[in-house]
Amino acid sequence: MTVTAAARPARAARRTPYLLILPGLLWLAVFFAVPVVQLGATSLYDPNGSLTDGYAMTWSFGNYATALAAYWPQFLRSLLYAGLATAICLALGYPLAFVIAQRAGRWRNLLLILVVAPFFTSFLVRTLAWKAILADTGWLAGLLRDLHLLAPDGRLLATPFAVVMGLVYNFLPFMVLPLYASLQRLDGRLLEAAADLYASPLRTFRHVTLPLSMPGVVAGTLLTFIPAVGDYINAALLGTVRTSMIGNVIDSAFLVRLDYPQAAALSFLLMAAILVLVTVYVRRAGTDELL
Amino acid sequence: MSDLVLQGLTKRFGEFTAVDALDLTVPAGSFFALLGPSGCGKTTTLRMAAGLEEPTAGRILLGDRDITGLRPHQRPVNTVFQSYALFPHLDVAGNVAFGLRRRGVRDHAAEVARMLELVQLDGLGRRRPAQLSGGQQQRVALARALVNRPQVLLLDEPLGALDLTLTRRMQVELKRIQTEVGITFVHVTHDQEEAMTMADTVAVMNAGRIEQLGRPAELYEFPQTPFVANFLGQSNLLAAEVVERGAGYVAVRAYDNRYSVPAGRCRAAGPAAYLGVRPEKVHLAEAAAQVPAGHDSVAGVVTDWSYVGVGNRYLVRAPWGTELAVFSPNTGEGYYPPLGGEVVVHWDPAHAFLLDREPGAGDATTPVAPEPTGVPA
Ligand SMILES: Nc1ncnc2c1ncn2[C@@H]1O[C@H](COP(=O)(O)OP(=O)(O)OP(=O)(O)O)[C@@H](O)[C@H]1O
Ligand SMILES: [Mg+2]
């Protein structure tokens, strides 16, 4: 009697987690797993098919080689731009997150709202605003020319600088918020203990603050890097053909050239590249718990 | 080794004075206890010595060297924090090695191993702080500070979070370690028994000031102020007036009774005084006839009684309404009166003391038993 009474709640408790993840699993199955399989299949269709004639499944693994051969510069450029943007976001976001989390006192919430304030307008509008700011006839270019920091015929818009700037601006909040979350949990008494144990402020940062905020650094860099690699709006609006990223190529393959097998193959290559990079990075950063 | 000297050390938080012109010398190599009630400024004092809090005024010296302006990492002082503040991302050995590494000490592994052995944590070097018990964490915090061989080790209620048995064991260990390494320990506590068992010198602090400083026995046997008399143990303090300062004695009157105290045990400068006597120095007799010659006495009624194993605690109401605390050790001899019984309370005048009293202040006896129960008035 007592045995069954005790066993029943235990079994229910063991079932609860599965019940709780069921809706999420269903969602993922319908909106992630099925499309990914479909995309994988598309990437292996006969490249000679067309939307109007339909595609035949010919297991054309050659699609991948063709795509890579044609677009490896855009691949590399995407990784480079996204890497640069992530590094700049980290450099800008870490001090910002530290001050908000540890020093801001009653201004904390206001500052956090300011960090996410750009999200109140659309991604597209924000990027278009940068286009105006960086325009050849804009005040910024004019000012830099007057200060001789920019050649008389120099441009800000349509340069790699503009694209990376746009990425930094658009993804900075994704860096700041996870950093803030981990720095806000940092116990100030540990910093005092480090100082008491002969660590200068710089060494306290190196040996206590930074290691303890690593989960935030990893989460922030992933949340910045992954969407930045695949981004195409910044390159499209602020750059030129010479700065186009892999996202632009996929975009035009799907929507302009209507070359679905190649577009799918490029998407898969991008996914694989990100997966490999992220795995290596997280291993190196020593925060395996995230995987 | 050099003495730790605090000169006129003051800390104000806005209008509030947490530490008030503290003057203190902690002799090199001594075990010094800073004792006081919650909020009296103990932690603030330690934090200023460690450099974690900037004094509003005053100086801190190590021997002849003024360290007031030094940053925490520049001071040869280490702290065992009340909260331990162990680094969660480092294992035990990493925590203990932290200070040595920052000072660029080579070969710290051997030092760390030796220190872990000293605090009896050998074999636990690879564990994370979260995998240790409270007592083990406390010993890591101790080892992490001690391994640096600081000139002064500051301990901020390091035993506060431990249970009674572990506290007692750690007290013994701390004392043993201090004797072994010979480093100056400044130990903050609000546990008077802990302070008295461990320290060579005890300073009793109240409201940002040191009330009295001395050997534990000195403080206990002859307290300087009513606060010390009632913070370090308990005292019966009767409001009295000095009526005569004779050769070798001082006579007082309290509630129309005349009592005397040896001149050497009188700290009262003016006429208003407290006549003090410890509960365990007070005896009970069945009748006035049984009071030994030369003892001072008060007749009263037992209003409360509690048995605490090592003895019996009584409250005896004097004719004027004040209750006197009496502790009778459980020796199996002596008189153990019943509740409501009429008794005579008596003591050797040599055990009494006289303290200054604010004119107009009444009796300041702390009851031994928290809630007097029993016979109605
Ligand atoms: N940063 C601060 N700002 C304002 N007041 C403070 C600050 N730090 C401490 N105080 C006040 O100073 C007084 C002394 O504090 P402190 O921490 O030194 O007490 P303590 O003697 O260590 O007490 P406890 O035994 O409870 O630890 C307290 O009244 C406290 O409220
Ligand atoms: Mg304290």
Side-chain angles (χ1 to χ4, degrees):
Chain A
M1 186 66 210
T2 38
V3 175
T4 45
R8 202 172 302 132
R11 204 177 308 140
R14 238 176 291 131
R15 236 184 359 235
T16 311
Y18 296 106
L19 288 174
L20 286 175
I21 60 168
L22 197 61
L25 274 182
L26 277 176
W27 177 274
L28 276 179
V30 174
F31 294 103
F32 179 73
V34 171
V36 162
V37 170
Q38 179 59 46
L39 194 69
T42 308
S43 74
L44 298 174
Y45 285 163
D46 178 5
N48 297 319
S50 74
L51 261 192
T52 40
D53 307 341
Y55 290 103
M57 173 49 110
T58 51
W59 301 100
S60 316
F61 285 98
N63 288 348
Y64 284 87
T66 322
L68 202 56
Y71 296 110
W72 64 267
Q74 282 85 346
F75 253 112
L76 284 187
R77 194 180 291 135
S78 294
L79 296 178
L80 179 71
Y81 285 3
L84 268 175
T86 306
I88 297 172
C89 277
L90 184 61
L92 293 175
Y94 200 105
L96 182 63
F98 186 88
V99 169
I100 297 176
Q102 293 278 323
R103 299 287 140 82
R106 63 205 176 87
W107 299 106
R108 181 188 282 188
N109 287 336
L110 181 68
L111 288 171
L112 273 180
I113 289 172
L114 288 180
V115 166
V116 295
F119 285 160
F120 293 135
T121 59
S122 99
F123 193 88
L124 206 58
V125 170
R126 273 181 277 148
T127 313
L128 281 170
W130 271 96
K131 195 169 173 140
I133 293 170
L134 299 175
D136 294 334
T137 51
W139 62 269
L140 186 60
L143 182 72
L144 290 176
R145 281 193 200 104
D146 290 346
L147 293 172
H148 298 287
L149 292 172
L150 193 66
D153 59 343
R155 305 188 66 184
L156 292 175
L157 199 63
T159 59
F161 166 79
V163 178
V164 173
M165 267 310 303
L167 290 173
V168 167
Y169 168 74
N170 277 312
F171 294 110
L172 187 59
F174 292 108
M175 179 66 85
V176 173
L177 293 180
L179 279 175
Y180 166 80
S182 73
L183 284 168
Q184 185 252 328
R185 260 183 283 127
L186 183 70
D187 187 346
R189 292 175 296 188
L190 294 178
L191 306 184
E192 290 188 343
D196 187 64
L197 291 163
Y198 311 101
S200 61
L202 206 65
R203 287 170 154 207
T204 300
F205 175 77
R206 164 82 185 76
H207 294 287
V208 181
T209 312
L210 188 59
L212 286 174
S213 60
M214 258 340 255
V217 172
V218 171
T221 47
L222 292 183
L223 283 178
T224 310
F225 182 78
I226 294 173
V229 176
D231 181 75
Y232 63 97
I233 293 195
N234 284 282
L237 295 184
L238 304 174
T240 64
V241 197
R242 278 175 293 108
T243 62
S244 68
M245 295 167 70
I246 198 65
N248 305 89
V249 176
I250 297 174
D251 176 47
S252 86
F254 262 126
L255 301 179
V256 180
R257 288 186 281 117
L258 302 179
D259 187 348
Y260 276 28
Q262 186 174 64
L266 283 168
S267 301
F268 251 74
L269 281 172
L270 180 62
M271 232 183 330
I274 289 175
L275 214 61
V276 169
L277 280 173
V278 165
T279 310
V280 170
Y281 170 63
V282 171
R283 283 274 153 76
R284 290 283 317 266
T287 36
D288 286 334
E289 307 94 88
L290 279 177
L291 274 188
Chain B
M1 289 301 259
S2 25
D3 299 352
L4 172 69
V5 183
L6 311 182
Q7 289 179 348
L9 202 62
T10 303
K11 180 69 194 183
R12 281 187 212 100
F13 295 108
E15 290 290 285
F16 177 75
T17 306
V19 176
D20 194 1
L22 208 67
D23 286 307
L24 192 62
T25 298
V26 180
S30 67
F31 198 123
F32 188 95
L34 201 52
L35 180 67
S38 183
C40 72
K42 306 179 297 287
T43 297
T44 308
T45 306
L46 281 203
R47 288 174 58 80
M48 286 193 282
L52 299 172
E53 202 85 68
E54 197 182 333
T56 312
R59 300 202 303 158
I60 303 163
L61 301 114
L62 262 182
D64 302 327
R65 183 164 162 235
D66 190 332
I67 61 165
T68 319
L70 292 188
R71 306 285 303 272
H73 66 276
Q74 297 165 324
R75 301 191 186 199
V77 172
N78 287 113
T79 310
V80 179
F81 293 91
Q82 188 161 9
S83 56
Y84 309 152
L86 300 178
F87 302 119
H89 61 297
L90 300 177
D91 60 16
V92 167
N95 267 281
V96 177
F98 193 91
L100 296 176
R101 286 220 176 100
R102 300 295 86 76
R103 283 187 307 156
V105 174
R106 287 161 188 286
D107 242 9
H108 44 72
E111 292 270 314
V112 169
R114 205 146 40 83
M115 194 48 65
L116 286 179
E117 201 177 333
L118 185 71
V119 296
Q120 298 169 7
L121 283 179
D122 19 353
L124 297 187
R126 300 252 67 90
R127 291 243 196 123
R128 290 291 173 98
Q131 300 166 319
L132 298 177
S133 75
Q136 290 168 333
Q137 290 180 27
Q138 196 269 330
R139 281 178 281 168
V140 176
L142 183 65
R144 184 179 70 170
L146 260 184
V147 75
N148 303 294
R149 314 245 151 206
Q151 295 198 28
V152 179
L153 186 71
L154 307 171
L155 303 108
D156 191 358
E157 300 196 37
L159 310 180
L162 308 183
D163 66 55
L164 201 65
T165 329
L166 196 53
T167 301
R168 295 281 171 267
R169 215 171 69 211
M170 286 308 302
Q171 285 173 358
V172 175
E173 277 186 39
L174 265 185
K175 183 72 194 165
R176 169 181 65 81
I177 290 169
Q178 194 266 339
T179 322
E180 260 171 54
V181 297
I183 288 173
T184 313
F185 274 38
V186 180
H187 182 96
V188 158
T189 174
H190 57 234
D191 179 342
Q192 43 133 334
E193 204 177 312
E194 183 174 303
M196 288 201 285
T197 44
M198 297 172 79
D200 311 318
T201 310
V202 175
V204 176
M205 200 168 167
N206 183 30
R209 294 182 152 278
I210 300 271
E211 294 250 343
Q212 191 178 1
L213 182 156
R215 289 188 300 109
E218 278 169 25
L219 265 69
Y220 190 82
E221 296 300 333
F222 193 17
Q224 185 109 36
T225 63
F227 176 82
V228 176
N230 274 327
F231 189 76
L232 212 59
Q234 287 116 2
S235 297
N236 294 304
L237 295 178
L238 297 181
E241 303 289 332
V242 174
V243 290
E244 188 191 344
R245 290 178 190 269
Y249 70 95
V250 176
V252 296
R253 198 183 58 238
Y255 304 99
D256 293 330
N257 293 352
R258 186 185 157 100
Y259 301 107
S260 72
V261 168
R265 292 184 57 80
C266 172
R267 294 193 195 270
Y274 274 122
L275 172 67
V277 58
R278 296 279 187 189
E280 70 277 12
K281 296 280 167 57
V282 177
H283 311 285
L284 296 173
E286 224 170 333
Q290 280 143 10
V291 173
H295 275 207
D296 281 333
S297 63
V298 181
V301 177
V302 175
T303 56
D304 187 58
W305 164 75
S306 52
Y307 173 76
V308 291
V310 294
N312 291 280
R313 287 174 173 167
Y314 296 96
L315 284 184
V316 177
R317 185 184 290 123
W320 54 85
T322 305
E323 280 173 325
L324 297 180
V326 181
F327 180 79
S328 296
N330 190 2
T331 54
E333 297 155 17
Y335 175 56
Y336 302 105
L339 204 58
E342 300 207 348
V343 290
V344 178
V345 166
H346 63 93
W347 63 88
D348 184 341
H351 292 151
F353 50 85
L354 285 179
L355 304 180
D356 264 323
R357 175 172 65 94
E358 294 281 314
D363 291 352
T365 300
T366 45
V368 174
E371 279 283 277
T373 53
V375 186

